[in-house]
Amino acid sequence: MNEQDIKILLVDDEPNVLKSLSRLLKQYHLITASCGEEALLLAKAQSFDLVISDYRMPGINGVDFLIRFKHIQPDAIRMVLTGYADLEGVQHAINDAEVFRFINKPWNNLEIVNAVENGLDHRRILLENRMLADQVRAQQALLDEKEAILRALEAEEPGITKVNWGTDGSIILDEKDFE
């Protein structure tokens, strides 16, 4: 996936933070929101690969926003940007919002870039795993169906599904089969 195809939602009530993050992550398709309510409306209208939200905002706080966001877009990676976090808030974010990373303000630019890259890699792996698990389930369904057909054939004509193989790979026929 091209970096420009990756959509990131940035949510913070401080315009300077949004500008700084936008400059730092300019290689991605970025959408910004100044509050959780606005960001939830955006989340209902379009899908995002990753969201970074401020922890403390007027109205809905960052963790409560991310919990609601998770219900709308469960596959998006969620991160919290914070200048302040108490232990209870951190636990709430991890347990209920399933936050991938906490990033402290003031942040280190390399830390944010690495967190975003790691988050996007994590998302890609999760989606690939889901796709592969779906393929395995589909293949298992086909195998179960074929097994049911073989059982039905065997019940109708005992021995019809059994093949006697020779050591050289040839099929050994029983003379009783020709009577």
Side-chain angles (χ1 to χ4, degrees), residues 8-21:
I8 296 177
L9 177 60
L10 304 173
V11 187
D12 200 303
D13 59 316
E14 297 178 44
N16 288 337
V17 170
L18 291 175
K19 286 178 190 169
S20 295
L21 288 173

Side-chain angles (χ1 to χ4, degrees), residues 5-6 23 26 37-38 48 52 64 71 81 85 91 96 100-101 123 125 130 134 138 142 151 155 157:
D5 296 333
I6 295 169
R23 275 193 308 274
K26 65 181 180 258
E37 292 85 356
E38 177 188 356
F48 293 95
I52 300 174
D64 290 337
H71 291 293
L81 187 63
Q91 288 174 329
D96 299 329
F100 179 76
R101 280 279 192 284
R123 180 179 189 274
I125 290 167
R130 181 181 307 146
D134 289 344
L142 286 174
R151 279 195 306 273
E157 291 286 334

